[in-house]
């Protein structure tokens, strides 16, 4: 098992398939993009599947989420998903995507055994989308969402980040639209993980503010806390249910105490936290001929060192040098 010194056990593996992306969301990366990792440094599909297999068969991983950068950019995605869903014990396999290209790929991904998708959509307005993501692709995302639902990748979840001066007036309309479409919306507080280090505490729209805005239009009642488990989202029944909305207060309502996540970057580094400043290099060990047993031991040691919390409120907090798109959000 992947146990840390505070007794937490990591069972949920987030794998970044690439650091590249076809959008430039303001809270994530600069308009001109970033220096992408050289291809030779990216794990190959076989290397990804080998590490995921070690995680599932030897280390107690029960959930695998493919993310990025933009995972749909990776041509071998359906193959990687099929090989993951064939593992035993079968993990839950999901995808976090910006939805561009999902209209074309949702059927193949469902056939490969993908269980669920989270699609990021921050606005209902194509112009606001263009301002926020620096690309005119709103319609593609909306079509991708519809295709995911059609392909049976339900419940379809929508992730939204609110930014002051961009889309912070859209909490209520976004929820209303998601309810109409049958999607489950989750708001995520903006975290200090953008490549350009533009995050400020004052600029962040907090979980309290989001709930206040939603409460002007909807009756929100906290969902059964037992149903939350280690999930980061606090969930609320909307107008008595059964529809729900989630709020992930990563900064102001941290859930580090029940965190069950571990991350693998696109270049094969284990990170025990989004905000970790240290990584453990499985790729080089693997390419130097390490056995599955040796890789599992390195992975266990990396998780054992996990800190108690992200420490954003601590004066000594340092933003990790890698941005969210390289870590895998
Ligand atoms: N490209 C895919 C997407 O956008 O869904 C997957 C990668 S993205 C890094 C994963 C999630 O992280 C998205 O829902 C995105 O909105 C969120 N995200 C990115 N930067 C963030 C930040 N600084 N604070 C909070 N959430 C962020
Ligand atoms: Fe790309 Fe996702 Fe980052 Fe937006 S949040 S720039 S879609 S990786």
């Amino acid at each position: 098992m992947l146990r840390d010194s505070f007794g937490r056990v990591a069972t949920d593996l987030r794998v970044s398939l690439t650091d590249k992306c076809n959008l430039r969301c303001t809270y994530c990366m600069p308009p001109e993009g970033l220096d992408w990792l050289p291809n030779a440094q990216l794990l190959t599909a076989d290397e990804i599947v080998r590490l995921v297999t070690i995680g599932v068969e030897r280390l107690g991983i029960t959930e695998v989420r493919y993310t990025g950068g933009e995972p749909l950019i990776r041509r071998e995605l359906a193959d990687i998903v099929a090989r993951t869903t064939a593992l035993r014990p079968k993990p839950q396999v999901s995808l976090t995507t910006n939805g561009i290209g999902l209209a074309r790929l949702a059927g193949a991904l469902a056939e490969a055994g993908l269980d669920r998708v989270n699609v990021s959509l921050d606005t209902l307005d194509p112009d606001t989308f263009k301002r926020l993501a620096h690309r005119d692709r709103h319609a593609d995302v909306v079509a991708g969402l519809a295709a995911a639902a059609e392909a049976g990748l339900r419940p379809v979840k929508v992730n939204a980040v609110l930014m002051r001066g961009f889309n912070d007036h859209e909490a209520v309309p976004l929820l209303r639209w998601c309810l109409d479409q049958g999607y489950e919306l989750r708001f995520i507080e903006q975290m200090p993980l953008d490549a350009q280090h533009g995050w400020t505490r004052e600029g962040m729209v907090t979980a309290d503010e989001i709930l206040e805005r939603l409460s002007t239009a909807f009756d929100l009642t906290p969902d059964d806390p037992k149903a939350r488990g280690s999930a980061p989202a606090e969930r609320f029944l909307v107008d008595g249910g059964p529809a729900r909305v989630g709020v992930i207060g990563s900064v102001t309502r941290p859930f580090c105490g029940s965190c069950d996540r571990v991350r693998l970057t696109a270049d094969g580094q284990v990170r025990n936290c989004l905000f970790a400043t240290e990584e453990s290099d499985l790729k080089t060990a693997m390419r130097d001929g390490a056995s599955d047993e040796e890789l599992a031991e390195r992975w266990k040691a990396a998780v054992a060192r996990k800190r108690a919390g992200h420490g954003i409120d601590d004066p000594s907090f340092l933003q990790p040098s890698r941005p969210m798109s390289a870590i895998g959000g």
Side-chain angles (χ1 to χ4, degrees):
M1 279 207 296
L2 293 169
R3 187 186 294 277
D4 67 34
S5 63
F6 300 93
R8 295 168 298 188
V9 176
T11 53
D12 179 347
L13 172 63
R14 317 246 141 178
V15 183
S16 172
L17 295 182
T18 174
D19 58 328
K20 296 187 189 68
C21 191
N22 41 16
L23 294 182
R24 301 284 183 271
C25 305
T26 303
Y27 47 73
C28 185
M29 58 172 86
E32 64 278 13
L34 297 166
D35 290 334
W36 311 124
L37 288 165
N39 278 342
Q41 283 193 30
L42 292 183
L43 293 183
T44 64
D46 286 347
E47 288 172 332
I48 292 165
V49 173
R50 178 171 173 204
L51 291 178
V52 171
T53 304
I54 293 171
V56 170
E57 291 183 351
R58 295 174 180 253
L59 297 171
I61 293 296
T62 56
E63 282 187 63
V64 179
R65 174 170 294 272
Y66 289 114
T67 178
E70 178 42 48
L72 293 180
I73 286 180
R74 195 77 197 231
R75 253 180 274 142
E76 316 97 316
L77 176 62
D79 174 53
I80 294 171
V81 168
R83 292 165 72 188
T84 310
T85 57
L87 295 175
R88 294 294 175 269
K90 182 188 167 302
Q92 282 282 312
V93 185
S94 56
L95 183 72
T96 300
T97 170
N98 64 25
I100 295 173
L102 196 54
R104 188 168 50 82
L105 291 167
L109 289 169
E111 254 171 53
L114 187 72
D115 292 298
R116 284 184 292 101
V117 281
N118 284 45
V119 178
S120 304
L121 179 67
D122 304 315
T123 174
L124 299 177
D125 174 33
D127 290 330
T128 304
F129 186 97
K130 200 168 151 192
R131 231 182 106 221
L132 208 149
H134 296 100
R135 298 287 185 273
D136 195 3
R137 306 298 296 267
H138 186 262
D140 296 288
V141 182
V142 172
L145 274 161
E150 180 71 33
L153 298 171
R154 297 206 192 92
V156 173
K157 293 193 180 173
V158 173
N159 290 355
V161 177
L162 296 181
M163 282 192 81
R164 247 181 253 295
F166 284 87
N167 60 342
D168 54 329
H169 55 289
E170 288 198 69
V172 168
L174 270 168
L175 178 53
R176 192 160 281 135
W177 185 78
C178 286
L179 294 173
D180 285 349
Q181 307 294 320
Y183 306 148
E184 185 173 324
L185 176 63
R186 299 131 40 96
F187 291 98
I188 310 175
E189 267 179 356
Q190 190 191 347
M191 294 178 274
L193 283 172
D194 57 314
Q196 58 281 39
H197 291 226
W199 180 91
T200 60
R201 186 166 292 274
E202 308 71 54
M204 170 179 62
V205 182
T206 63
D208 282 352
E209 280 178 84
I210 295 165
L211 289 169
E212 218 171 88
R213 284 172 204 199
L214 294 177
S215 299
T216 61
F218 302 98
D219 181 26
L220 301 183
T221 40
D223 200 1
D224 178 2
K226 279 193 235 99
R228 182 177 180 191
S230 54
E234 276 179 75
R235 293 167 91 211
F236 298 84
L237 296 172
V238 182
D239 293 337
R244 288 172 172 79
V245 63
V247 178
I248 304 182
S250 322
V251 179
T252 64
R253 301 177 178 201
F255 35 86
C256 305
S258 59
C259 177
D260 62 357
R261 295 177 176 192
V262 60
R263 297 182 143 81
L264 185 63
T265 66
D267 57 348
Q269 313 291 309
V270 169
R271 289 181 72 93
N272 57 28
C273 172
L274 259 182
F275 295 94
T277 44
E278 268 186 9
E279 299 179 340
S280 174
D281 184 358
L282 294 191
K283 179 193 67 195
T284 304
M286 180 163 51
R287 292 186 180 173
D288 286 347
S291 65
D292 286 0
E293 183 63 34
E294 284 161 347
L295 293 169
E297 286 307 315
R298 272 178 181 259
W299 197 334
K300 278 197 225 168
V303 170
R305 291 194 292 269
K306 181 161 166 156
R307 285 182 304 184
H310 57 46
I312 296 173
D313 273 330
D314 193 296
S316 65
F317 173 75
L318 278 182
Q319 181 169 338
S321 49
R322 294 234 231 188
M324 182 82 138
S325 56
I327 298 169

